Amino acid sequence: MSAGNIVFPHGRTTNSLFSTNTMYVEWHRIPALSFYGKHEEIAKILAHSKVIFSSAPKEKWHVSQYLGNLLMSHYFSKQHDIQEIKNVTDRFDVLTLSPQETPLEASHYWVTKAYLYVDLFHQQVIGFKDLKKSITALKAIADHPAVGAHYNILQAHLALLSNSFLFAKKYIDRAKVLTSQVDNKWADYEIRRLLVRLYIKEGMYKDAEVTLATILEIIEKHEWKGCHTQYLSLIHI
């Protein structure tokens, strides 16, 4: 499930295509393009995808991956379209796939949904109950090294929201170990985002500033322009 050191299905060249009987779509590029902030390219792919998924056989393996990729594009978008996000999650619900039943290649759907819900909770769009449910869902697949890192990061978010700083730090330490084992750059980025919130809550403003600077360096190094809006949101906490 890991490719390019980011947790989403990839592992093929940018020329490899998802096919149906009628068309070809580079659907697998959506997660990487989301990180890079290539919103116009994503829009073109999604325009073709809507045609395909309205006419192609509803194969859960394909559709679940596509919806996971689509949700990731919303996570890294400049502005969250709440109705479109709901459309994606509602469509995934129709597949009746639990986290355990979800194909491994599509498990990034659950990871992305939980991170997206963290942001939506801080924006006061969703409640704590929905946030906790999205994170708890990951427990069933947390044994996977890549998912496990994200699960611990997200558990740390819950602990931090309860002002349980000690537990938050324990989860972060676990996530760091799992992240280093698979060189998971996405998880490393999320750990640093979380640390900014932790440092601010603890009144450790200098550490928060240093971590923010590191996040910006990471964004610039990898050309993750899609992460820039998330970086700016941390500045205004």
Side-chain angles (χ1 to χ4, degrees):
M1 187 178 64
S2 176
N5 297 320
I6 301 172
V7 185
F8 51 74
H10 199 305
R12 291 185 275 178
T13 68
T14 56
N15 291 322
S16 67
L17 305 172
F18 164 59
S19 64
T20 66
N21 293 331
T22 56
M23 297 181 67
Y24 295 90
V25 175
E26 295 178 295
W27 68 275
H28 67 280
R29 297 179 61 218
I30 294 174
L33 292 173
S34 299
F35 273 89
Y36 296 139
K38 304 289 187 179
H39 303 297
E40 291 184 1
E41 288 188 51
I42 292 173
K44 291 178 182 178
I45 293 173
L46 294 181
H48 291 299
S49 299
K50 289 179 181 179
V51 174
I52 284 181
F53 283 92
S54 65
S55 60
K58 301 301 185 292
E59 297 181 16
K60 292 186 178 182
W61 185 80
H62 290 313
V63 177
S64 60
Q65 289 181 68
Y66 168 71
L67 293 176
N69 292 356
L70 181 55
L71 199 62
M72 187 172 284
S73 73
H74 285 295
Y75 178 51
F76 289 106
S77 63
K78 294 181 179 179
Q79 187 172 358
H80 293 141
D81 187 324
I82 306 305
Q83 187 55 54
E84 285 299 317
I85 291 170
K86 186 177 185 303
N87 289 342
V88 176
T89 57
D90 285 349
R91 186 162 184 182
F92 195 94
D93 289 344
V94 171
L95 299 177
T96 63
L97 290 172
S98 68
Q100 302 99 306
E101 296 167 333
T102 300
L104 183 61
E105 297 89 347
S107 59
H108 61 300
Y109 167 85
W110 298 100
V111 174
T112 306
K113 179 181 178 181
Y115 279 129
L116 184 54
Y117 275 27
V118 169
D119 286 354
L120 294 180
F121 175 81
H122 285 297
Q123 296 169 22
Q124 299 182 329
V125 175
I126 65 167
F128 184 79
K129 182 179 180 181
D130 288 334
L131 169 61
K132 186 175 181 179
K133 183 179 179 181
S134 72
I135 295 174
T136 302
L138 285 173
K139 183 177 182 180
I141 54 175
D143 286 343
H144 190 283
V147 177
H150 291 292
Y151 174 68
N152 279 279
I153 295 167
L154 289 156
Q155 284 290 349
H157 274 287
L158 290 181
L160 186 57
L161 289 171
S162 302
N163 291 321
S164 301
F165 299 154
L166 182 59
F167 281 108
K169 290 175 182 176
K170 287 183 177 179
Y171 282 121
I172 290 171
D173 287 342
R174 292 176 189 172
K176 285 181 178 178
V177 172
L178 292 170
T179 298
S180 65
Q181 289 175 351
V182 293
D183 189 25
N184 189 333
K185 287 183 171 55
W186 180 16
D188 179 68
Y189 163 75
E190 296 291 354
I191 288 172
R192 295 178 194 278
R193 287 186 69 206
L194 173 58
L195 283 172
V196 172
R197 293 188 177 276
L198 174 61
Y199 291 144
I200 289 175
K201 277 207 168 189
E202 289 186 313
M204 300 170 63
Y205 301 113
K206 182 62 177 178
D207 288 330
E209 290 177 6
V210 171
T211 306
L212 271 170
T214 302
I215 291 173
L216 185 57
E217 289 176 2
I218 291 172
I219 291 174
E220 292 176 346
K221 176 182 178 181
H222 299 299
E223 298 182 358
W224 285 353
K225 295 180 180 179
C227 301
H228 199 257
T229 299
Q230 295 177 342
Y231 165 77
L232 292 177
S233 70
L234 290 172
I235 294 177
H236 298 104
I237 292 178

